[in-house]
Amino acid sequence: MKTIQAYRYALDLTPSQDRYVLAHAGAARVAHNWALARVKAVMGQRAAERTYGVPDERLTPSLSWSLAGLRRAWNAAKPGTAPWWPEVSKEAFNTGLDALARALKNWADSRNGKRAGRPVGFPRFKSRRRTTPSVRFTTGAIRVEPGRIHVVLPRLGRLKLHESARKLARRLEAGTARILSATVRRDGGRWHVSFTVEVDRVERTPARTASVVGVDVGIKHLAVLSTGELVDNPRHFVTAQARLRALGRALSRKTGPDRRTGQRPSKRWERAAARLGTAHARVANLRRDGLHKLTTRLAREYGTVVVEDLNVTGMLANRRLARHIADAGFAEIRRQLAYKTQWNGGRLLVADRWYPSSKTCSGCGAVKTKLALREREYECETCGLVINRDRNASLNLAALAAEFDTAGSGPVAGRGADQRTRVRGQVAAKRQPGTAQAGQTGTVPPQGGTADRVFTKAH
Ligand SMILES: [Zn+2]
């Protein structure tokens, strides 16, 4: 199975290498901003000409927005705009122009309705201060040195890694991997190199092919499995918060930049900002590590993993929950499970967003109309089952896999499973004894207050 994968390593750069990589990242920004200014100028010119009634064929010719077109324009202009251009690799300019070409395409597609999701804004100029320095190499000598602690990149030469690249090197030596590109980027105050690699992966099967696990992603725990296992939430963010707050306060006391007055930041402000950035990066690293360990384990062991489709954007709007949800990285768990189950020969089922996994009784299938978030125990009024709320939800998710298989149609996406669950929910609601009593009068009680009362009677 051929997959595209990234291998990312921290770098230990010497001060002169550091400056040279920064110069490349700066060159990428210069090319990006120059081309963006050109695009804007031409657009403005054409719009103005149209208002004067200039016919379309006599307008200023439009600039090609493709990478090739932007590159042609840049190459023609660079001796004048950037006479220092031979000092850096042409890949640096390519990085900036490529980013702009993509941004313009995304904006155009979003405007014409060809792109789903949020509307994409028009590209903006990259500022020196706020942009993450990055440069990408797609051609030339990109390799890992035999000692596995150095990499060679075009123009930058031999760079020392902070850790051994043995996993990637082994694959390269065995001929099961091919490097497509290398990106050098500074995040969290540290340089990293990330290789985009085409990897030929061995076909695998999960340890227990026929087994199913339901995963309820929670706030109290990182995840609750239908096997009964509680995976603790790595609350690194919460524990690190005191430190983050202190660093944030320290930063706010120092003289920062001010665009209105043109105030430059003080050296102390810059150092404090770097410390805060490092603290944030550490939290992110710890969290990513926890998530990867969990998703790898699940994908290797179980044939089928079932998760909920959480509306993460909607939940983030709820400010009180927001921090914790962001902390647990809901969306990230699902993203990782999607590709890891594929790598391991398993499958991922995603339940419908409206599937009442928390409100359904995993014992008898009855559905509650209401379940407050603070109710940590699920108590079934119909069969008397008392179970941990999250455990109950994970059992319901696991049960979905069986339903999906008996339904046996459609691709292994959520859709088929969703439909089934909705039908089951309705059927189960009618089966409740309380509802049956009410049904004697010939009317189905409306959802809400009435149903609640019926439930209490049934007790
Ligand atoms: Zn029940």
Side-chain angles (χ1 to χ4, degrees), residues 100-381:
L100 180 63
R102 283 166 199 260
L104 287 169
K105 184 178 183 304
N106 289 344
W107 173 74
D109 285 353
S110 170
R111 231 177 152 217
N112 303 331
K114 274 193 266 172
R115 186 189 155 94
R118 286 182 182 195
V120 177
F122 194 78
R124 290 192 284 182
F125 291 107
K126 289 185 187 294
S127 97
R128 185 159 62 98
R129 240 164 242 300
R130 308 197 61 181
T131 316
T132 305
S134 136
V135 57
R136 185 164 67 110
F137 296 90
T138 51
T139 53
I142 303 173
R143 60 172 196 273
V144 179
E145 291 271 270
R148 296 169 177 181
I149 51 161
H150 290 90
V151 293
V152 175
L153 297 180
R155 288 301 282 271
L156 300 179
R158 198 157 166 266
L159 307 177
K160 187 174 177 295
L161 297 176
H162 188 69
E163 55 201 316
S164 167
R166 92 177 79 76
K167 274 198 171 174
L168 174 59
R170 274 186 202 142
R171 280 205 175 273
L172 290 171
E173 283 158 22
T176 58
R178 191 165 64 92
I179 295 177
L180 302 176
S181 69
T183 304
V184 183
R185 174 199 298 272
R186 191 177 67 190
D187 33 25
R190 160 155 243 174
W191 287 102
H192 290 93
V193 60
S194 174
F195 295 100
T196 304
V197 184
E198 186 189 62
V199 178
D200 197 0
R201 294 185 71 92
V202 181
E203 304 284 337
R204 310 174 69 138
T205 46
R208 293 161 31 193
T209 322
S211 64
V212 176
V213 67
V215 185
D216 181 69
V217 183
I219 289 164
K220 203 144 180 260
H221 298 276
L222 182 65
V224 177
L225 310 185
S226 55
T227 56
E229 188 190 338
L230 305 176
V231 184
D232 266 332
N233 204 341
R235 296 207 166 198
H236 303 299
F237 190 85
V238 177
T239 42
Q241 236 177 4
R243 181 168 159 76
L244 284 178
R245 266 202 301 275
L247 287 171
R249 271 198 307 273
L251 182 67
S252 73
R253 282 195 297 266
K254 295 176 175 64
T255 313
D258 191 334
R259 285 177 70 179
R260 281 168 309 168
T261 58
Q263 171 75 52
R264 298 285 298 252
S266 69
K267 283 276 179 248
R268 283 165 190 251
W269 184 91
E270 282 180 348
R271 282 200 297 268
R275 273 196 294 273
L276 184 61
T278 311
H280 273 296
R282 175 166 170 77
V283 171
N285 288 343
L286 291 166
R287 189 166 70 198
R288 188 167 34 231
D289 187 48
L291 292 183
H292 270 298
K293 280 173 180 157
L294 171 66
T295 52
T296 297
R297 183 159 67 85
L298 292 175
R300 288 220 175 127
E301 188 162 351
Y302 299 95
T304 304
V305 184
V306 192
V307 293
E308 263 177 303
D309 183 9
L310 289 161
N311 179 4
V312 175
T313 338
M315 291 180 90
L316 285 176
N318 178 346
R319 299 238 354 237
R320 281 221 295 190
L321 281 177
R323 203 184 54 223
H324 295 285
I325 290 165
D327 198 19
F330 281 177
E332 182 62 12
I333 286 193
R334 225 181 54 214
R335 188 188 71 80
Q336 290 178 8
L337 280 173
Y339 72 79
K340 286 184 187 179
T341 48
Q342 206 191 351
W343 284 359
N344 287 284
R347 61 177 183 165
L348 177 72
L349 289 181
V350 180
D352 180 275
R353 175 163 307 177
W354 309 113
Y355 172 57
S357 64
S358 299
K359 292 180 188 159
T360 307
C361 172
S362 57
C364 70
V367 183
K368 287 193 186 206
T369 46
K370 273 186 185 160
L371 184 69
L373 209 55
R374 67 186 135 74
E375 290 177 45
R376 297 315 305 168
E377 292 286 315
Y378 183 97
E379 291 180 35
C380 181
E381 284 88 349

Side-chain angles (χ1 to χ4, degrees), residues 52-130:
Y52 301 145
V54 178
D56 270 12
E57 65 275 9
R58 291 190 46 210
L59 289 177
T60 305
S62 64
L63 202 65
S64 164
W65 285 6
S66 70
L67 173 58
L70 293 175
R71 206 152 48 188
R72 248 192 325 274
W74 167 256
N75 283 335
K78 70 186 178 187
T81 9
W84 41 265
W85 67 266
E87 288 169 30
V88 294
S89 164
K90 67 177 165 47
E91 296 271 8
F93 305 118
N94 198 56
T95 303
L97 297 174
D98 183 48
L100 180 63
R102 283 166 199 260
L104 287 169
K105 184 178 183 304
N106 289 344
W107 173 74
D109 285 353
S110 170
R111 231 177 152 217
N112 303 331
K114 274 193 266 172
R115 186 189 155 94
R118 286 182 182 195
V120 177
F122 194 78
R124 290 192 284 182
F125 291 107
K126 289 185 187 294
S127 97
R128 185 159 62 98
R129 240 164 242 300
R130 308 197 61 181

